[in-house]
Amino acid sequence: MIRIDCPICGPRAETEFTYGADATVQRPAMDEGKVQPWLDYVFNRNNPRGAHREYWHHVQGCRQWVVLERNTLTHEIGSCRLARDVEGQEETQGAEA
Amino acid sequence: MKRLATGGRIDRSKPLAVSFEGQELQAYQGDTLSSAMLAGGVSLVGRSFKYHRPRGIYSAGVEEPGALVHLRDGDRHEPNARATVTEAFDGLVSTGQNAWPSLKFDVSAVNNWASPFLSAGFYYKTFIGPFKHSTRFWMMCETFIRKSAGMGRATYLNDPDHYEKRNAFCDVLVIGGGVSGLSAALAAGRTGAQVMLVEQDFELGGAVLNDPVGREGDAWVAAATDELNGLSNVRILTRTTAFGAYDGDTYGLIERVSDHLKAPENHQVRQRYWQVHAKRCVMASGAIERPLVFGGNDKPGVMLAGAARSYLNRFAVLPGQEVLVATNNDSAYAAAADLARAGATVTVADMRAQVADATQEIATKAGATVLSAHGVLETRGSRRVKSAHVVPIDAQGRATGTGRNLPVDLIAVSGGWAPAVHIWSQRYGKPVFDEASAAFIAPDDASKTLQPAGTAAAAATLNDVIAQGFEQGTVAAKSAGFDAGFGERSESYPTGPFWQSGYLPLWAVFDANGKTKGKAFVDFQHDVKISDIDQAHLEGYVSVEHLKRYTTLGMATDQGKLSNINALNRMAELRGKPIEQIGTTTFRPPFTPIAMGSVVGHEHGRHFRPTRLSPIHHWHVEHGAKMTEAGAWMRPWYYPKGTEDLRAAYIREAGHVREHVGMVDVSTLGKIAVQGPDAAEFLNRVYVNGWKTLAVGRLRYGVMLREDGFVMDDGATARLGENDYFMSTTTANAAKVLAFAEHLLQTAWKDLRVHVTTVTDQWAAIAVAGPNARDLLSKVSDADLSREALPNNHFTHAVIDGVDVRIHRMSYSGELAYEVYIPSGFARHVWQALYAAGADFNLKPYGTESMGALRIEKGHVAGPELEGRTSMKDLGLEGFASFKKPFVGSVLRKRPVLEDPARPVLVGLEIEGPTGAKPGSLLFPEAGEAKGHGDGWVSSTTYSSALGRNIAMGLLKNGQDRKGEVIRVVNFVGNETLKAKVVSHHFFDPEGVRQNG
């Protein structure tokens, strides 16, 4: 039972959350017209062994999306921050391919 | 085998009626089923998995491989129950399993003779037919191999008992109520820390229970227990197994609340699952004795030496009269001595050439004979041991002489002891081999929150056991913040031969040529012989994980508790490597089998997930509606008149809507409030069509794609105010769409000033449809619903019987239709008002089945078409997509794979004949072989009362060019073929005359 320290609700059991997505990828800008950035965003992922960042959704709590540091090998949980507070997740502006 | 008149820890004043295979056994409070069996002279208890060899009682604990029985009958029947840990209770009924027609004469024992064909990995090698590309022979063999698989049989009856889940939090969890566990609990408990001590046995004391009654161990245990019982911060749970250790310092326990009773009393639960969150844990789980490997070592009459001692001292049962104790270490001498003093004739065959005098005297002083450098080569006897062929052996365990045949009825073996590291290993991975104790133990690492103590950590003496327990309890309490009050560590005990002092790593006996005689077993439950391990190695399975899976060693219900170490030793020998380089396989929970019900608790049946009801639910039920499940929701399916069945009802209801007026409860639709200055921009981004021009008072149908370009959902969104939009989604996708919206707004689109809030439960909705819909609603409300005042895709506020509602003009049925949105608290009130007023307009309620029939007649897409594999283009919806702005999925929907002209597209099917098409049926051209996936599939189907025929919607390759063609609709599962004509899916009123009225 992984314990996740939600910034709003405090330490909660993992069963209150739903795993969302890989938080190390950037969503391309809405006006990105090339296909490859979208293919990469939707389909291609690294599969790191060790420290990783993920989006989790506190569905049975505050319903905020959080960015969770989790070790994919040991399940050790690192920081848990509100997604809205994490810099650099906004769409990349006018991205190249 | 017999029960002794005195001694033991049983309560002779409390006799219990216990039976096995119809035979009454003399049992007392404190007995287990196996001790009662031995007392009653039962030696044949079960049959092994593969060869169906006779099995008796091998142990006195959880590691039991053979004494597995069917326990209880009727709805509490349980297969594979270990007799050794089944507490005897009054009225206990048990029978043998895995044998037919009886334990004694098991037909499947023929497998024993067929064993050359059933060796390791046989299902990869034998029973393969002679025909290269045919599996016919294997499939024929498979039927009877499948029947013989498994051990006990489960019942099909529902479990009548109930189970409970509990969460608990503590500072220190101590697993094991033996001496080291009690020490740990004392040390931690005295500081005031919250302590939980769990013990799987019904009594505390661990190995002390196997000593003769009245020794110092008893006094120590009694004093410790008294002190612990007096501490209010210490909770002791007996009959409780810690079965798993998990991330985040979480532990799973099963408390067997009522297993020791015939049935739970006073509405008590049968078992309780504890999910314990402990800051620290001390694993004082003890050690499990190891078997010796020799020919016929699996027969009834062979058991662990420690078990023999346990039956004698704890249960007052003499398990044999002519006893051979076979050992490679000192610990078995205590068993030899106790058995001899109880009147058995005891010979010790010690595999070691040098045995210390002091050790030998323990046995000889009690009247036993000691043969050093001797081992058992083979047993004789068919259904039980009759004699043992004892031979002199060399340092490799090979016979050096002919030896002799010793008549025995009990062979008590000790091949050393293996610390029970399972719980530690579940959390932290593989244990390491410790040279000093010649055992796999947890490596020293003070940083871990779970620490072993006692024999589980290979403590060598009783003093060490106590000391380690005390130390770990202290450390644990300190880490949890409790710094004082530990008290005194206990007094010291004289050291005797303890656990594996003097251990010689020799555990198998061979003939002079280095071969075992007869069948020498390593895994008793799955019938894996030493020769199977050798064969697997020969075939190239050299990794310990491969060995396990190829031979099935360690994969039975006992999970290799007795077989793992010996197998690893053999593998080490074969590979010429030291055992520490071989390593173990991965230990996984549960440590011992747990009942499904115990972890389910009360969350089954209607409590598996919440049931969601519309606020109008009870009206439907009161008016005879048959309800159906739609996810977690209950919805009205149809309202049968008289004896109507589903088909008659929905056909009538649909026809009635088209001719008069009907109303259907659509409250389950997803509803999301989208609010803020950037709401329209947000809608523009998630929907394929445009929203910036939508005026207040209007609504618009929208299509939403997934990020990969496939259609995700559809629904209508109304603009309630300048910054206030009311989005609806399909029932099934409500949660998914909301989560998606929240994700985008909190990550990629943080700059948008929008809030999304679920209002699904806050608003009820009723669709009123049919030629009389306007007149009905005009009568009950104050709104101007004329064609000019409220055209399609507009809404207005209104009051119905005192309740503020909104009336949206939108049609799903293709009729003149409205959706009335009501604050849910008033929903039934408004429904009833409509129903009452509807009497004048021939209003009838209709359900989801006819609602579906109506939308299929119109060719509207719904869930069966929006199933995640279809694109807008497939569904003919690409006209909705805007060219002026990007939206979710706008780039990827243009991928070549989604633009492929050969993709199946949405069509209508006019079915020939009286039978409707089954959804999922595959579509094929009229001529040719109907093989493979065909040209498409049926997605939705209904009988159309408007057209008087069966119709369907489906996806068909090149469907746009095949209108008029007759195709076949094939249901392979039901073995049925229909014919259909391909038409437009807009079957009825394609111009929309009715809904635009």
Side-chain angles (χ1 to χ4, degrees):
Chain A
M1 174 67 70
I2 297 171
R3 312 290 293 288
I4 297 175
D5 196 356
C6 172
I8 308 272
C9 308
R12 309 299 300 177
E14 65 169 283
T15 46
E16 292 186 8
F17 297 76
T18 305
Y19 169 82
D22 186 327
T24 62
V25 294
Q26 290 269 58
R27 192 172 194 277
M30 280 308 296
D31 60 6
E32 173 59 66
K34 298 199 194 65
V35 156
Q36 194 58 44
W38 287 105
L39 289 175
D40 286 337
Y41 174 65
V42 174
F43 295 110
N44 292 329
R45 290 287 178 273
N46 288 326
N47 190 15
R49 175 193 169 102
H52 190 42
R53 277 194 333 273
E54 301 171 336
Y55 287 124
W56 285 67
H57 192 193
H58 199 184
V59 289
Q60 288 181 31
C62 54
R63 283 201 76 86
Q64 297 308 293
W65 282 89
V66 296
V67 175
L68 193 65
E69 284 177 350
R70 183 178 72 88
N71 187 305
T72 61
L73 195 60
T74 63
H75 283 320
E76 261 173 272
I77 300 294
S79 69
C80 177
R81 299 170 292 163
L82 287 180
R84 64 171 82 252
D85 291 342
V86 174
E87 296 282 312
Q89 294 170 290
E90 295 82 3
E91 302 177 332
T92 49
Q93 297 305 310
E96 310 296 332
Chain B
M1 295 190 286
K2 62 176 185 206
R3 174 87 70 185
L4 301 175
T6 55
R9 299 168 191 275
I10 52 172
D11 185 350
R12 287 178 178 77
S13 74
K14 299 202 172 90
L16 306 169
V18 167
S19 81
F20 175 65
E21 288 276 288
Q23 176 191 345
E24 289 294 319
L25 302 174
Q26 169 210 67
Y28 300 100
Q29 188 93 308
D31 261 326
T32 57
L33 177 55
S34 59
S35 61
M37 284 169 163
L38 288 171
V42 173
S43 64
L44 176 61
V45 180
R47 291 266 172 182
S48 65
F49 177 67
K50 195 162 58 165
Y51 300 138
H52 287 252
R53 289 168 68 89
R55 286 285 172 270
I57 295 163
Y58 197 85
S59 74
V62 298
E63 64 271 25
E64 180 56 39
L68 306 181
V69 301
H70 278 159
L71 186 62
R72 303 175 196 267
D73 48 20
D75 51 10
R76 290 200 171 85
H77 169 92
E78 198 181 314
N80 303 332
R82 289 152 294 157
T84 50
V85 293
T86 301
E87 220 177 313
F89 57 85
D90 202 38
L92 188 161
V93 167
S94 60
T95 55
Q97 58 175 38
N98 200 37
W100 183 84
S102 73
L103 271 183
K104 248 178 140 184
F105 298 107
D106 181 15
V107 163
S108 297
V110 70
N111 288 0
N112 207 5
W113 305 109
S115 63
F117 298 106
L118 298 173
S119 63
F122 73 88
Y123 25 82
Y124 302 116
K125 294 178 281 197
T126 50
F127 307 109
I128 293 174
F131 309 105
K132 209 164 171 200
H133 298 292
S134 161
T135 54
R136 246 176 320 171
F137 185 65
W138 167 245
M139 290 313 290
M140 183 196 78
C141 296
E142 198 253 7
T143 36
F144 56 82
I145 290 173
R146 181 170 294 279
K147 276 206 176 63
S148 67
M151 300 280 283
R153 297 277 166 236
T155 175
Y156 285 87
L157 301 171
N158 281 335
D159 187 335
D161 295 325
H162 67 113
Y163 302 78
E164 186 176 270
K165 277 161 78 158
R166 260 190 90 155
N167 283 306
F169 296 81
C170 64
D171 297 307
V172 182
L173 171 68
V174 179
I175 297 176
V179 171
S180 57
L182 290 166
S183 300
L186 275 174
R190 284 169 182 164
T191 68
Q194 292 295 318
V195 177
M196 280 180 76
L197 171 65
V198 300
E199 166 54 50
Q200 64 197 2
D201 201 315
F202 49 98
E203 293 186 87
L204 296 172
V208 166
L209 296 171
N210 302 328
D211 288 338
V213 178
R215 296 249 183 104
E216 311 104 335
D218 285 347
W220 191 97
V221 169
T225 308
D226 278 342
E227 189 181 340
L228 287 168
N229 280 331
L231 293 170
S232 61
N233 53 312
V234 174
R235 188 206 297 264
I236 301 178
L237 294 174
T238 55
R239 299 190 176 99
T240 302
T241 301
F243 66 84
Y246 303 94
D247 298 314
D249 296 307
T250 311
Y251 299 86
L253 318 175
I254 299 293
E255 181 188 0
R256 289 178 293 282
V257 179
S258 306
D259 278 13
H260 62 291
L261 304 168
K262 187 134 198 283
E265 291 164 358
N266 301 324
H267 307 286
Q268 192 45 282
V269 295
R270 176 74 189 269
Q271 295 180 354
R272 183 173 292 123
Y273 163 42
W274 293 77
Q275 197 169 93
V276 177
H277 308 271
K279 294 201 183 112
R280 295 278 155 164
C281 177
V282 178
M283 182 183 79
S285 42
I288 298 175
E289 197 164 24
R290 288 167 48 191
L292 290 172
V293 178
F294 46 87
N297 63 334
D298 62 323
K299 289 177 198 159
V302 183
M303 72 166 58
L304 295 168
R309 185 162 182 262
S310 176
Y311 287 117
L312 176 62
N313 292 330
R314 184 175 177 183
F315 302 102
V317 175
L318 187 64
Q321 197 58 49
E322 309 292 326
V323 181
L324 178 71
V325 176
T327 182
N328 63 8
N329 66 88
D330 289 349
S331 69
Y333 279 78
D338 289 347
L339 288 164
R341 273 193 284 267
T345 308
V346 179
T347 309
V348 178
D350 198 319
M351 293 173 80
R352 302 171 290 179
Q354 309 295 334
V355 184
D357 290 339
T359 306
Q360 293 199 45
E361 271 164 25
I362 294 171
T364 50
K365 281 222 176 100
T369 318
V370 177
L371 304 169
S372 55
H374 273 71
V376 179
L377 182 60
E378 199 183 10
T379 64
R380 304 261 158 72
S382 53
R383 268 193 236 108
R384 57 164 306 139
V385 167
K386 290 270 161 53
S387 67
H389 185 185
V390 181
V391 294
I393 55 172
D394 63 14
Q396 278 76 48
R398 294 185 189 206
T400 56
T402 43
R404 60 191 157 111
N405 213 28
L406 197 64
V408 290
D409 59 357
L410 174 68
I411 304 178
V413 302
S414 181
W417 291 77
V421 295
H422 308 67
I423 289 288
W424 181 95
S425 183
Q426 287 173 14
R427 276 195 76 180
Y428 297 120
K430 306 207 172 183
V432 297
F433 190 74
D434 174 53
E435 286 287 352
S437 56
F440 280 95
I441 55 173
D444 241 323
D445 183 350
S447 70
K448 303 225 184 310
T449 51
L450 164 62
Q451 296 291 336
T455 49
T461 66
L462 182 55
N463 286 330
D464 286 346
V465 166
I466 296 174
Q468 281 188 16
F470 207 87
E471 182 194 335
Q472 292 306 331
T474 305
V475 164
K478 276 195 179 149
S479 328
F482 293 83
D483 247 321
F486 304 105
E488 303 253 310
R489 223 208 61 204
S490 228
E491 31 326 42
S492 53
Y493 284 92
T495 46
F498 196 73
W499 99 281
Q500 58 178 28
S501 59
Y503 170 68
L504 175 75
L506 199 59
W507 50 277
V509 181
F510 307 94
D511 62 19
N513 301 320
K515 296 238 170 304
T516 50
K517 284 225 62 194
K519 295 191 167 76
F521 288 89
V522 177
D523 184 322
F524 300 117
Q525 195 169 140
H526 265 180
D527 283 331
V528 181
K529 311 184 292 296
I530 205 170
S531 55
D532 290 320
I533 298 174
D534 294 355
Q535 181 190 327
H537 176 80
L538 196 65
E539 291 183 26
Y541 295 96
V542 298
S543 133
V544 66
E545 300 282 0
H546 281 154
L547 168 71
K548 171 183 175 177
R549 285 154 180 83
Y550 192 63
T551 60
T552 74
L553 178 140
M555 296 179 71
T557 65
D558 58 351
Q559 290 287 286
K561 290 182 177 63
L562 293 179
S563 58
N564 280 336
I565 306 299
N566 286 343
L568 296 176
N569 275 307
R570 185 60 176 176
M571 171 153 264
E573 282 165 22
L574 292 170
R575 292 180 60 188
K577 291 201 156 126
I579 192 171
E580 48 266 44
Q581 284 185 34
I582 301 295
T584 64
T585 53
T586 309
F587 293 85
R588 297 195 176 89
F591 173 63
T592 44
I594 61 176
M596 298 279 204
S598 63
V599 291
V600 163
H602 289 126
E603 291 166 37
H604 60 94
R606 302 310 295 269
H607 297 288
F608 176 66
R609 63 177 169 183
T611 307
R612 296 177 81 172
L613 301 178
S614 154
I616 311 170
H617 173 85
H618 295 289
W619 189 98
H620 305 311
V621 173
E622 286 158 26
H623 286 77
K626 291 278 183 269
M627 306 299 286
T628 184
E629 290 176 23
W633 292 98
M634 296 303 294
R635 302 193 69 178
W637 193 10
Y638 59 101
Y639 299 79
K641 211 162 82 161
T643 55
E644 273 184 333
D645 65 1
L646 166 66
R647 189 178 164 86
Y650 88 74
I651 293 171
R652 174 186 52 76
E653 285 175 14
H656 190 93
V657 169
R658 294 229 187 270
E659 264 191 79
H660 306 288
V661 60
M663 64 176 182
V664 58
D665 181 356
V666 295
S667 300
T668 62
L669 287 176
K671 307 165 207 77
I672 300 174
V674 181
Q675 295 163 318
D678 294 327
E681 171 62 24
F682 169 77
L683 293 171
N684 258 15
R685 293 186 187 187
V686 297
Y687 278 118
V688 310
N689 44 335
W691 297 85
K692 301 240 164 118
T693 59
L694 188 71
V696 176
R698 307 233 13 208
L699 55 110
R700 186 171 286 170
Y701 174 73
V703 177
M704 196 182 289
L705 304 187
R706 286 199 312 241
E707 294 274 27
D708 63 356
F710 284 87
V711 177
M712 179 159 83
D713 199 50
D714 70 349
T717 296
R719 186 172 190 180
L720 306 185
E722 194 183 328
N723 296 323
D724 191 0
Y725 292 77
F726 184 85
M727 177 199 275
S728 68
T729 75
T730 59
T731 301
N733 287 330
K736 188 196 296 189
V737 169
L738 179 66
F740 185 49
E742 287 168 321
H743 179 77
L744 288 166
L745 289 170
Q746 292 175 31
T747 58
W749 302 340
K750 285 190 259 203
D751 52 316
L752 289 188
R753 296 159 299 164
V754 183
H755 281 291
V756 288
T757 314
T758 170
V759 292
T760 299
D761 295 307
Q762 280 65 33
W763 291 92
I766 304 170
V768 181
N772 299 340
R774 174 183 284 126
D775 295 340
L776 165 59
L777 285 172
S778 299
K779 182 175 170 220
V780 292
S781 79
D782 56 343
D784 181 356
L785 301 173
S786 65
R787 194 178 188 190
E788 298 69 36
L790 200 71
N792 256 321
N793 296 320
H794 285 68
F795 70 88
T796 183
H797 295 278
V799 178
I800 296 179
D801 205 8
V803 179
D804 289 324
V805 303
R806 282 198 316 273
I807 301 180
H808 294 210
R809 182 154 170 209
M810 214 203 73
S811 182
Y812 189 55
S813 56
E815 292 305 306
L816 170 63
Y818 302 82
E819 282 177 3
V820 183
Y821 285 86
I822 312 145
S824 47
F826 299 104
R828 181 170 171 156
H829 179 85
V830 171
W831 174 280
Q832 286 173 172
L834 286 168
Y835 189 71
D840 293 339
F841 300 94
N842 209 349
L843 169 74
K844 293 248 181 290
Y846 65 105
T848 57
E849 192 71 24
S850 47
M851 184 178 79
L854 294 167
R855 71 97 186 161
I856 294 170
E857 284 178 328
K858 292 296 294 182
H860 287 322
V861 298
E865 287 74 40
L866 309 180
E867 30 85 301
R869 296 180 299 169
T870 52
S871 70
M872 273 200 293
K873 197 154 184 247
D874 299 341
L875 300 176
L877 297 173
E878 72 272 27
F880 280 101
S882 164
F883 290 101
K884 299 191 215 149
K885 48 101 184 177
F887 46 87
V888 170
S890 56
V891 173
L892 292 185
R893 73 166 179 128
K894 296 236 168 251
R895 289 182 281 151
V897 68
L898 290 182
E899 300 268 279
D900 185 351
R903 282 181 69 82
V905 295
L906 188 61
V907 296
L909 300 169
E910 283 179 0
I911 311 291
E912 283 177 25
T915 316
K918 210 140 173 84
S921 300
L922 299 182
L923 306 176
F924 292 89
E926 194 177 10
E929 204 189 351
K931 205 170 171 206
H933 292 160
D935 287 354
W937 67 92
V938 172
S939 56
S940 300
T941 180
T942 192
Y943 178 84
S944 164
S945 45
L947 305 170
R949 65 179 319 137
N950 290 300
I951 56 173
M953 288 165 72
L955 281 293
L956 180 67
K957 275 189 191 160
N958 298 315
Q960 61 279 20
D961 300 327
R962 292 167 81 166
K963 302 280 162 68
E965 179 184 332
V966 173
I967 59 168
R968 274 177 300 170
V969 177
V970 181
N971 174 2
F972 284 107
V973 173
N975 206 12
E976 197 176 51
T977 299
L978 302 168
K979 292 239 177 108
K981 184 165 80 168
V982 179
V983 297
S984 157
H985 52 289
H986 301 297
F987 298 94
F988 180 73
D989 183 19
E991 270 91 58
V993 168
R994 290 176 163 242
Q995 72 189 34
N996 292 331

